[in-house]
Each structure stands twice: as structure tokens, then as C-alpha cells.
Amino acid sequence: MEIAAIFLPILGSFIAGFFGRFIGDRGAQAVTCLGVCVSALLSIALFFDVALGGHARVIPLMTWIDSGDLKLDWAIKIDTLTSVMLIVVTVVSSMVHIYSVGYMSHDRSKQRFMAYLSLFTFMMLMLVTADNLVQMFFGWEGVGVASYLLIGFWYEKQSASGAAIKAFLVNRVGDFGFVLGIGLVFFLFGTVNFDVLFEKAPEMTELTYNFLGFQVNALTCACLLLFVGAMGKSAQLLLHTWLPDAMEGPTPVSALIHAATMVTAGVFMTARLSPLFEYAPDALAFVTVIGSLTALVAATIGMTQFDIKRVIAYSTMSQLGYMFFAAGVSAYSAAVFHLMTHAFFKALLFLGAGSVIHAMSDEQDMRKMGGIWRFIPVTYVMMWIGSLALAGVGIPGLFGFAGFYSKDLILEAAWGAHSGVGEFAYWMGVIAAFITAFYSWRLIIMTFHGKPRADHHTMEHVHESPLVMTLPLGVLAIGAAFAGFIGEEWFAGEEREHFWGEAIKVLSTHDSIAAAHHVELWVKMLPLVAAFSGIFFGYLFYMIKPDLPGKFVAAVRPLHQLFFRKYYFDEIYDAVFVKNAFRLGSFFWKRGDEQTIDAFGPDGVAAVTGKLAGLAGKLQTGYLYHYAFAMVIGLAAFVTWFWIGL
């Protein structure tokens, strides 16, 4: 069962990719959708067996590497953390596959697209079932390659090709840190196998290591390097600039990358390595600060954007910040809880946005929408459900949408950690919660309400998406509405320790989840007040007083420009890294290659040879007496040399 759940997507990808011309578009869509859907059903069965039944296991497949001290098996690790991720990845991916049948119906390369989607899914499954760091890195890089192919799927567009290259290069920066972290772990522990690492971790707490001339804690250094990889893959502050540009890919790609798979890989890795991070408190503090700043910065940028997909993309970045600062205060189960709930409501929002774009004849600018809710009522309701879950709306003690349970748990755990960085994260998270609710209703109102701002031709063609696109929205909406309510006891309640078993390690002194249940009432209520306040101001600014946004922007124009221009990260990176890299490349090309290597190498030798040939050519005069004279001179020289030699 485990083998089938993991390898069915790659089988579908192989068939669609290499035999697509024989089975046709429908055949490629059928084989890939069937493979991922069966994988999702098997993953649900595995969840009941492993997470609820307590039958965690490791299944060796073959000896992979046997070189000196490095001996690795290719093995499938199935525990509670893996089983949760299997459900998240396969269920969301199966809905994206089905949705793509309708969304990509007019594309010329359906077979290639479906093959890429299934390849991406398989690589993510490889990542979450890894039994060691090197095997995880295989899935990690495989996800990166597949995302490059998907973001740049419409490679005829210069913007799509550029976005794919940008995502690939920025992730290489993070992955370099990840590779260094794996190397340092192997140097310290002599292995990269998870079980052995986790067993030896307590012995490494006092070990120091010389890094760049400084004596640092070895375990802290290793964890920080590994987290740099997570920063790139999960678009945390400083390595986040690739994420909004990735919207150049088809909308199903946005849902798959930004909901359940690629961007959550860093969160999964941090949770998987919790037995290491628990003994590196300085690394955890760094994770907390980066996560909380990411949550706030992304939220402020998101409320100024007009592209519907970019708004949702920045909300993804913000929610990932929540997950990381949860991990930073040792609330790993809260981080994974939010990862799971976020997968459902964020995939719902992206696919809902795709339905809007489909209805609006590929228009993505919210300033050119409005007044369409009557024409696409199903999509409208689905976007409401996704937005309520994203904002974390609920009634304590009764019912809440998915984000209500997981986001509030994170904030309460941050405060319950009773640390400076924890309290900092709490306040950043509360402010981000207010802004999230505000821009969510800004999106709803600008997109669906008010007077139509599109041209007459576009409005004539506004229509609801077909069933093959709305059905996946309904499935995801169920998760967005009920996933938090269903999973609360397992992720945050009394069943938490039994549910997780050995999958997540938390020191008794770091148990912020337990502390979260005993925080003051105002700590619990403030995030909910922030959410409802954000919704209220969204209505006030964009429904009741639509002239207010313009006045407010005029009053705080420098601040608005800072947010709208994304804190000028792209401009700074372009000036510091990109342009200087081009200058350096141009220097090596012109001065190094052309003027040095070529000038004194191939080009120089060729030039000298040409000149010598030209001189020799002048001797070929065509006059017989010249040749006779040359023969006499040569004979005289030969006789002279022979005579001297005697």
C-alpha cells in the first residue's frame, strides 16, 4: 500500500510524458488523475493505520549509497508526521489535477502539463517519506526542478521564463545552505539517518565548532544552515522574492506550489528535525524572528496589490511566517496543524481565483472586475469560505473555520512560550491577522461587488466554471470549513502526545502547546477581535466609503509606496546582486575570455599561423629562376652543415 501511494503519481507522469501522443489528451488526463486520486485514497487509509492505529514503520527498498563511512538505504519512513503530509499533498494535488482538466482545456500542451503536475507530486512524496537527510534532499531538489518546469510552463512568455529562472536561482541560494547543513551534520554525527541523529542529539549540546573564524555551537550552526534551505523553499523574508513572480505559471500550478507542496517543505523539514532544533535554542529564536517578520511584511505588501493571484500569494508567504514562528517557539504540532488547514483554504482560494480569471476572460487585475457575484455564485460562495478560513473567523466554544483553530493556537503558543521572541511573534501575528482579514475582504469586494469595471465585451462572457472545476472547489471547501474542528483534538488537545508518538520531539521545558491552554483570556480573544476588525474596515473602505482608500493612500503615500513596491527588495537585489553579477560576467567574458584566453590561445595562435602563412605565400612567385636560386642556396647550406659536422 505504501509503495503504491508513493509511486502511482510517477507512473502516471511517465505514461503521460512519454506516451502522451499515443493515448491523447484525454488519456494523459485520465491516467494522471487516476494515479493521484488512488494515491490520495491510499494515503487516507495509511493515516488511519499509522496515525490513529499507531503502526509507524520504516520500509527499506534498497541500498542506495555505500561509500566509506556513508551507508544509506533508500527507505520509506511512515509515521504520524508523514501520514499527515501524505493526505495534504495527495488530496490537494488530486483536486488540482481534476481542476486542471477544465482550466487547461484550451491549452495545446495538456499532456506535458499533466505529466509535470504528477512529477511534482511524486517529488513531494519522496521528500516527506525520506528516512535520511540525503534522501530528503533528493525530493527537495526534485520539487525545485518540477516547480521550474511548471512556473515556466508557458515558456513563450518572457515573464514566465524569467519567473522560472528567478525561482530556481533564489532557491539555489537556500539549497546551498541546506547542503552545508547536511555536510556539517554528517561531520558531527557520522550519519544522516534520522533515527541515529535524533538519538545522538542530546550529546551534541555543548560541542563547539570553528565556523568562519568564530567558535560557535555546532548544533546551532547546523540547524541555522538547514533553516536557510527552508527560508528559500518556503519563501521566508530575504529569500522570498521568487514567490510572487511564480504567479506567471498557470493557476493550478499556483495552487499546488503555494498551498500543499513546495512552500510547505521547509515547515515539514523543521518539524521533522525537531529533535535537533530542540537542543539549539538560539536557532529556534532566529526561526521565530524570521517567521514573525515574514508574517507581517508579507501582509503589508498583500494589502496594496491588485493582481488577484499576487494578493493570495503574499497571504501564503504571511501564513508560512506563522508556521515558522510556531516552530520557533517549539509548537511544531501547531505549525503542522496550520500547514494542514492552510493547504485546504489556500488551494481553495487559488482555484477560486482561477475560476474568476476563467470567467473574466483571463483578466487578473481586481481594478477591472466588480459586480460579478450574480454570474458566478458557486465561485463566490467558495471564495467566501476560503476567506473566512484565512481570516480565522469563528465563535469560541462553538465552531470556527479551519484557520480559526490553527492560527489562534499558534498565537496562544507564542505568548505561552514566555520568551521575548515569543511575545514579539505574538504581536506581529496579531497585527498580521488584522491586515489579513482586511485584504481578504478587499479582494472579495473589489472582485465580486460594486459596479462592473470590466469592458462590455468581457461582461457579456462572464460565466460560471464547468463542474470539473467547481467540484474540486467543493471538496476543498469542506476541508477549509471542517479540517480545524476535526483535527483540533489530535493537534492541540489531550490526544496530542499519543497522536504524534515519536514523530515530533519537544522538551518538557519547551512545551508551549500545553502553556497555550492557560494563557489569559485577552490573549485568546485579541486575534479574533483583530480578524473581525479587519473585515469591518474592509467593508468600510471598499463597500461603504469607497473614496476612503484614495484619501488614505494620499495621506500616507511614502508608507504606501514602501508596501506597494514590496519594500524595494527586488530593486535592492537587482542593484547589489543581479547587475553586479552581469558586470562580473561581462568582465570575464570580454577581458578574460576574449582579450586574454582567446587572444593568446586559439585566436592568437590562429592569427600568428595566418601571418606566417602569408609570409610563406610571398615566396610562391611563379618564376623559375627564383625557385632555382632557392635550391642552390639550400644545397649550399646543406653542404656547409655537412662539412662543419665532419
Side-chain angles (χ1 to χ4, degrees):
M1 182 166 63
E2 300 87 350
I3 305 298
I6 295 165
F7 287 93
L8 278 175
I10 191 62
L11 179 62
S13 176
F14 179 81
I15 295 172
F18 289 96
F19 301 99
R21 66 177 62 184
F22 301 107
I23 62 177
D25 291 342
R26 289 299 183 194
Q29 291 167 341
V31 72
T32 50
C33 289
L34 182 63
V36 177
C37 288
V38 172
S39 179
L41 293 175
L42 294 174
S43 297
I44 294 171
L46 278 172
F47 175 81
F48 281 97
D49 181 42
V50 175
L52 302 184
H55 299 140
R57 50 193 177 269
V58 176
I59 305 168
L61 298 181
M62 64 178 183
T63 299
W64 185 29
I65 298 175
D66 189 351
S67 176
D69 294 332
L70 183 61
K71 294 180 174 60
L72 293 177
D73 287 336
W74 190 286
I76 297 174
K77 185 180 181 68
I78 306 287
D79 59 6
T80 300
L81 181 58
T82 301
S83 65
V84 170
M85 291 300 297
L86 285 177
I87 286 184
V88 169
V89 172
T90 56
V91 170
V92 173
S93 181
S94 61
M95 293 303 103
V96 170
H97 274 71
I98 296 170
Y99 179 93
S100 299
V101 174
Y103 191 85
M104 303 295 288
S105 59
H106 300 296
D107 196 89
R108 294 176 298 174
S109 303
K110 303 181 190 66
Q111 302 155 16
R112 179 165 61 92
F113 183 75
M114 300 305 289
Y116 287 171
L117 282 184
S118 288
L119 174 65
F120 189 101
T121 305
F122 168 73
M123 287 302 178
M124 191 66 194
L125 294 177
M126 282 284 95
L127 193 157
V128 301
T129 57
D131 184 45
N132 57 75
L133 281 170
V134 175
Q135 188 179 335
M136 179 184 282
F137 189 69
F138 168 80
W140 192 274
E141 291 301 289
V143 167
V145 171
S147 69
Y148 169 80
L149 296 173
L150 286 168
I151 294 169
F153 179 76
W154 288 323
Y155 55 84
E156 302 91 345
K157 293 170 56 181
Q158 182 62 39
S159 57
S161 297
I165 293 171
K166 185 176 183 180
F168 195 80
L169 291 177
V170 173
N171 273 275
R172 294 292 72 72
V173 176
D175 293 350
F176 182 66
F178 195 25
V179 170
L180 291 178
I182 294 173
L184 182 54
V185 167
F186 181 71
F187 175 76
L188 296 174
F189 291 86
T191 183
V192 291
N193 185 277
F194 289 142
D195 291 338
V196 181
L197 290 178
F198 301 160
E199 184 180 345
K200 290 184 176 181
E203 305 170 10
M204 299 292 177
T205 53
E206 302 300 325
L207 184 65
T208 58
Y209 176 74
N210 189 298
F211 181 73
L212 299 178
F214 298 95
Q215 207 68 20
V216 297
N217 183 276
L219 200 55
T220 298
C221 185
C223 289
L224 287 174
L225 288 171
L226 292 170
F227 178 65
V228 169
M231 288 175 65
K233 197 68 72 184
S234 297
Q236 293 300 282
L237 193 64
L238 303 180
L239 294 180
H240 67 281
T241 53
W242 67 270
L243 188 72
D245 290 1
M247 296 299 101
E248 291 294 336
T251 300
V253 173
S254 304
L256 194 60
I257 291 177
H258 300 120
T261 50
M262 179 173 170
V263 294
T264 59
V267 180
F268 167 79
M269 184 266 285
T270 307
R272 172 62 78 204
L273 298 180
S274 59
L276 297 184
F277 278 89
E278 280 298 282
Y279 294 101
D282 291 340
L284 286 178
F286 181 77
V287 172
T288 306
V289 171
I290 290 293
S292 54
L293 289 176
T294 301
L296 181 62
V297 168
T300 57
I301 297 173
M303 70 176 176
T304 64
Q305 302 301 302
F306 294 104
D307 185 307
I308 187 171
K309 287 173 64 177
R310 283 179 180 260
V311 173
I312 303 173
Y314 277 110
S315 79
T316 297
M317 178 181 162
S318 182
Q319 298 307 303
L320 288 165
Y322 278 95
M323 298 175 208
F324 275 109
F325 77 67
V329 296
S330 297
Y332 305 100
S333 61
V336 178
F337 190 20
H338 198 50
L339 184 158
M340 184 266 291
T341 60
H342 172 265
F344 289 109
F345 63 71
K346 189 52 60 68
L348 175 62
L349 285 170
F350 267 117
L351 296 185
S355 184
V356 171
I357 295 167
H358 177 79
M360 295 293 294
S361 304
D362 297 328
E363 180 59 65
Q364 296 183 200
D365 192 332
M366 296 187 298
R367 290 170 294 187
K368 299 178 181 179
M369 298 180 184
I372 62 173
W373 72 271
R374 293 182 181 86
F375 303 99
I376 49 174
V378 175
T379 301
Y380 177 61
V381 172
M382 296 298 106
M383 292 293 284
W384 258 86
I385 294 173
S387 298
L388 287 168
L390 173 61
V393 173
I395 301 174
L398 293 176
F399 174 77
F401 289 86
F404 168 74
Y405 296 95
S406 54
K407 184 190 288 186
D408 283 18
L409 178 63
I410 288 174
L411 292 171
E412 291 161 17
W415 186 266
H418 299 300
S419 63
V421 291
E423 292 183 6
F424 174 76
Y426 175 82
W427 289 112
M428 295 297 101
V430 169
I431 298 171
F434 168 79
I435 299 174
T436 299
F438 174 79
Y439 67 64
S440 294
W441 262 258
R442 172 179 179 264
L443 183 151
I444 290 284
I445 296 168
M446 288 186 70
T447 302
F448 296 101
H449 293 278
K451 294 181 180 180
R453 295 181 293 277
D455 59 73
H456 181 69
H457 176 75
T458 301
M459 291 303 299
E460 280 185 338
H461 292 83
V462 175
H463 60 284
E464 187 60 89
S465 298
L467 184 63
V468 73
M469 292 172 64
T470 55
L471 183 62
L473 295 181
V475 174
L476 293 170
I478 293 172
F482 299 106
F485 178 76
I486 294 171
E488 182 184 25
E489 187 62 30
W490 296 331
F491 287 87
E494 296 179 359
E495 295 291 324
R496 178 167 51 95
E497 293 185 6
H498 174 72
F499 176 75
W500 287 108
E502 298 296 321
I504 288 179
K505 168 85 172 180
V506 179
L507 298 178
S508 58
T509 54
H510 293 179
D511 194 354
S512 56
I513 297 289
H517 297 297
H518 304 289
V519 297
E520 299 89 336
L521 181 62
W522 69 266
V523 174
K524 296 184 177 184
M525 296 304 297
L526 191 57
L528 192 60
V529 172
F532 279 111
S533 299
I535 294 172
F536 168 76
F537 278 100
Y539 265 103
L540 178 65
F541 272 60
Y542 292 94
M543 182 75 87
I544 302 171
K545 296 283 187 180
D547 59 325
L548 275 180
K551 294 179 179 178
F552 187 79
V553 168
V556 293
R557 186 165 297 280
L559 189 62
H560 176 268
Q561 277 297 106
L562 179 67
F563 296 161
F564 183 70
R565 298 297 295 272
K566 298 165 284 190
Y567 291 80
Y568 298 95
F569 274 108
D570 282 319
E571 289 83 353
I572 293 170
Y573 287 175
D574 186 60
V576 175
F577 299 111
V578 178
K579 289 183 178 178
N580 285 328
F582 274 108
R583 290 191 186 103
L584 186 63
S586 180
F587 172 81
F588 282 125
W589 168 35
K590 293 292 186 182
R591 298 290 181 88
D593 192 24
E594 289 187 352
Q595 298 179 16
T596 304
I597 297 174
D598 283 349
F600 293 99
D603 290 350
V605 172
V608 171
T609 303
K611 289 179 180 179
L612 291 176
L615 293 174
K618 291 179 179 179
L619 299 176
Q620 309 298 319
T621 64
Y623 294 109
L624 184 61
Y625 66 88
H626 283 176
Y627 300 149
F629 181 73
M631 291 173 64
V632 170
I633 294 297
L635 180 62
F638 178 75
V639 171
T640 302
W641 173 77
F642 184 76
W643 182 76
I644 292 174
L646 293 176

